[in-house]
Amino acid sequence: MKHALSVTREADFSAWYQSVIAEADMAEESGVRGCMVIRPWGYGIWERFQRLLDDRIKATGHENCYFPVFIPLSYFEQEAAHVEGFAKEMAVVTHHRLIADGKGGLVPDPAAKLEEPLVVRPTSETVIGHAFARWVQSWRDLPVLINQWANVVRWEMRTRMFLRTAEFLWQEGHTAHATADEAREETLKMLEVYREFAEECVAVPVIAGEKPENERFPGAVGTWSIEAMMQDGKALQAGTSHFLGTNFAQAQNIRFQNAEGQLEHANTTSWGVSTRMIGALIMVHGDDDGLRVPPRVAPWQVVIVPMLRDAPEDEALVAYCRELQQALAKESAFGEPVRALLDLKPVKSTTKRWGWVKKGAPVVIEVGGRDMAAGNISVIRRDRLYRADGKLDSAAVARDGFAAGAPALLAEIQQALFDQAKARLDANIAPAADWGIVEAHFAEGAKNPGWLEVQWSRPTGAALEAVVERLKTLKLTLRNAPMGQAAADGACVFTGETAVERVLVGRAY
């Protein structure tokens, strides 16, 4: 069996990942280290993410807004833990004009130095907190529920497209509440929105749970995440939701007069999902022929490729295919019209077929003169590309009637991709009763060790630091303590103290 990509997942997972991105025309280098150009197919997937997630966010009562990309440095300095957490990643603007240096180059104009340095937005808690301080005066002004779709900049040292880039796209929600209970409820509500979106739309199964203290968002009281498992067994933090308590409110003076006339600090939250979710899609669903895109987030769900030959019958063949495209557009899949593309580019039909296979279009339909004469089309499902004998699984079916069955076919493909990923996730999480088992499991050279679930006593301070350092020796991190887990029933693997819960341990991106 010959695959469309030159490198396989088993041979070199990292090189395979880069190959998928390149061959599927997802993104490319921009000329600035760590920044990428997102090409139409990759951005089309992001647009689908935006539409589906934005609808869910608005359904929970949030409104969209926009805040500036430049944030005064002093805003960050008001919240010590926050500035410490982001200091190494901040890009800072100090001048507003350049001048010629007399050698053919440009340098900052000393006369154009800013009175205060501006940080290029790494996250927006600080600038939005200052707005909340202006907007909130009374308990009647609460809750404030906003979201913005924006770009952010974090000067990462080690970059990888979609997973960790200097600039990336995301949505960030920010809310303010009268009580801690309301804010915690909001935090968990949005975590559930993320879980549902990841599983139902992106077909990526995730584990939702609370992050350990050392993995909290800087300045947060508590952080929850959804963790996804990639095909190489590594974890990817696919979304986070933070309960900030009154930490940011105290720093930014977000106060309100309660019903009894007393001043209180608001409790705030923040939560976000980024283009890193596209990286998750690639590494969860991709195969050795390229990308496989779940139908709900595919820019085009069905791609029709007529086998044109520069012959008189081409016009009739295109008309035959266009009728199918129009019939598909009248059908509804997942509550929307089926998205069908008729690819008429003057490229060899087999080249176009493999191009769409590598892009991961859920259904590719080829139509030749013989198909048209027989009233048929040849259908390729991207979720199962080959037959048992290794040959391409291209099924001839009647054109008339295919459109009516397309929504069910797309739903079947969506579910199949999720089921495959869920089976892999479940099969690669195992319990570990002591540190020796952890060491043996993640021994050097172990392929796809997945994650371990261990008993956890929630150590803090120096004890937690010691745990983190021990994990570093195996390149491991604490992921999260899964929600809804069974009660702990043993000793903590790290401290030997009575465990209070279980936590997932694994290698991560």
Side-chain angles (χ1 to χ4, degrees):
M1 183 187 301
K2 185 178 180 181
H3 293 289
L5 300 184
S6 59
V7 61
T8 64
R9 292 161 290 174
E10 184 174 355
D12 189 333
F13 194 80
S14 179
W16 167 83
Y17 175 77
Q18 299 294 345
S19 179
V20 172
I21 292 172
E23 294 292 330
D25 293 332
M26 299 278 289
E28 62 188 18
E29 298 291 344
S30 69
V32 176
R33 191 192 69 81
C35 295
M36 60 182 174
V37 174
I38 305 178
R39 299 186 64 178
W41 186 248
Y43 197 79
I45 294 173
W46 179 244
E47 286 183 311
R48 291 296 305 158
F49 283 11
Q50 283 183 297
R51 173 170 294 186
L52 294 166
L53 185 53
D54 196 60
D55 286 347
R56 285 162 169 76
I57 290 171
K58 286 176 178 172
T60 57
H62 300 81
E63 297 178 292
N64 284 343
C65 61
Y66 185 78
F67 284 82
V69 69
F70 298 119
I71 304 173
L73 179 61
S74 60
Y75 283 19
F76 287 88
E77 293 172 334
Q78 291 173 347
E79 216 296 321
H82 195 62
V83 71
E84 183 179 352
F86 282 102
K88 294 180 180 179
E89 299 176 350
M90 289 181 182
V92 183
V93 178
T94 57
H95 293 72
H96 65 79
R97 183 170 61 240
L98 300 176
I99 57 173
D101 64 0
K103 302 176 183 179
L106 297 171
V107 295
D109 183 352
K113 187 175 182 179
L114 299 177
E115 292 184 10
E116 178 181 355
L118 299 175
V119 175
V120 183
R121 173 177 53 217
T123 184
S124 298
E125 280 77 8
T126 55
V127 66
I128 290 178
H130 276 260
F132 282 4
R134 298 190 300 272
W135 300 351
V136 175
Q137 303 298 322
S138 163
W139 62 273
R140 295 182 178 87
D141 298 323
L142 296 171
V144 180
L145 308 174
I146 65 166
N147 175 67
Q148 79 165 342
W149 292 90
N151 63 334
V152 295
V153 172
R154 296 180 185 175
W155 217 253
E156 298 279 0
M157 296 303 294
R158 296 183 181 86
T159 60
R160 186 175 300 184
M161 284 190 186
F162 293 112
L163 298 181
R164 198 171 292 276
T165 50
E167 179 192 16
F168 56 89
L169 306 179
W170 76 350
Q171 61 73 213
E172 52 177 324
H174 297 266
T175 68
H177 305 264
T179 69
D181 285 346
E182 290 176 13
R184 285 184 183 276
E185 181 182 352
E186 169 78 7
T187 304
L188 297 180
K189 177 196 298 181
M190 298 317 298
L191 183 74
E192 174 60 17
V193 167
Y194 288 161
R195 185 206 61 77
E196 180 190 81
F197 167 72
E199 297 196 338
E200 295 186 4
C201 298
V202 195
V204 170
V206 294
I207 303 292
E210 185 174 4
K211 300 289 270 187
E213 180 182 304
N214 68 300
E215 294 284 345
R216 286 176 188 161
F217 179 75
V221 176
T223 288
W224 284 259
S225 69
I226 53 171
E227 302 284 333
M229 183 181 288
M230 307 300 100
Q231 289 183 57
D232 63 351
K234 289 184 179 179
L236 185 74
Q237 182 177 283
T240 51
S241 190
H242 315 290
F243 169 55
L244 306 177
T246 60
N247 290 347
F248 283 84
Q250 290 180 51
Q252 295 151 350
N253 200 32
I254 309 173
R255 300 195 301 171
F256 65 97
Q257 191 174 56
N258 64 25
E260 289 73 41
Q262 300 168 324
L263 283 177
E264 291 186 41
H265 284 105
N267 282 265
T268 62
T269 79
S270 65
W271 26 273
V273 161
S274 75
T275 38
R276 138 178 294 234
M277 183 70 86
I278 296 178
L281 184 156
I282 296 168
M283 290 196 290
V284 169
H285 298 308
D287 63 16
D288 292 337
D289 290 288
L291 191 60
R292 297 191 301 171
V293 185
R296 294 197 72 169
V297 294
W300 297 111
Q301 295 166 319
V302 180
V303 176
I304 307 167
V305 179
M307 303 177 76
L308 305 176
R309 301 182 182 278
D310 260 345
E313 60 265 26
D314 280 359
E315 186 174 339
L317 184 61
V318 170
Y320 181 83
C321 292
R322 199 176 298 283
E323 289 173 0
L324 174 60
Q325 180 191 30
Q326 293 169 347
L328 284 165
K330 294 177 182 178
E331 299 295 332
S332 177
F334 312 107
E336 300 177 279
V338 172
R339 297 183 293 280
L341 172 70
L342 176 57
D343 187 348
L344 297 177
K345 288 182 180 179
V347 178
K348 187 178 178 182
S349 58
T350 54
T351 301
K352 284 196 284 188
R353 172 217 293 161
W354 286 108
W356 287 111
V357 164
K358 288 187 282 190
K359 286 177 183 288
V363 177
V364 179
I365 294 175
E366 292 183 306
V367 188
R370 291 181 181 177
D371 293 308
M372 179 174 63
N376 292 336
I377 55 177
S378 295
V379 179
I380 300 170
R381 284 178 53 158
R382 185 61 185 89
D383 64 316
R384 56 184 197 201
L385 195 56
Y386 300 102
R387 300 195 307 248
D389 61 5
K391 294 183 179 179
L392 188 68
D393 189 355
S394 179
V397 301
R399 184 198 68 168
D400 296 342
F402 174 80
L409 174 61
L410 293 170
E412 184 179 325
I413 294 171
Q414 180 84 21
Q415 189 64 47
L417 290 174
F418 177 81
D419 290 345
Q420 291 170 22
K422 185 66 165 64
R424 186 188 312 119
L425 174 69
D426 292 344
N428 287 284
I429 300 177
D434 60 58
W435 178 250
I437 295 175
V438 176
E439 286 185 306
H441 189 81
F442 291 103
E444 187 174 352
K447 286 191 175 181
N448 191 9
W451 308 340
L452 291 180
E453 185 180 72
V454 302
Q455 304 277 353
W456 178 240
S457 61
R458 284 203 173 196
T460 60
L464 177 57
E465 290 177 11
V467 169
V468 172
E469 289 304 313
R470 191 191 300 185
L471 289 167
K472 282 182 180 178
T473 64
L474 296 174
K475 300 180 180 178
L476 298 174
T477 56
L478 300 165
R479 303 318 303 162
N480 68 21
M483 300 175 70
Q485 61 176 262
D489 57 3
C492 176
V493 162
F494 304 102
T495 66
E497 298 176 358
T498 301
V500 297
E501 63 187 359
R502 293 176 173 84
V503 70
L504 295 172
V505 174
R507 295 189 175 124
Y509 285 97

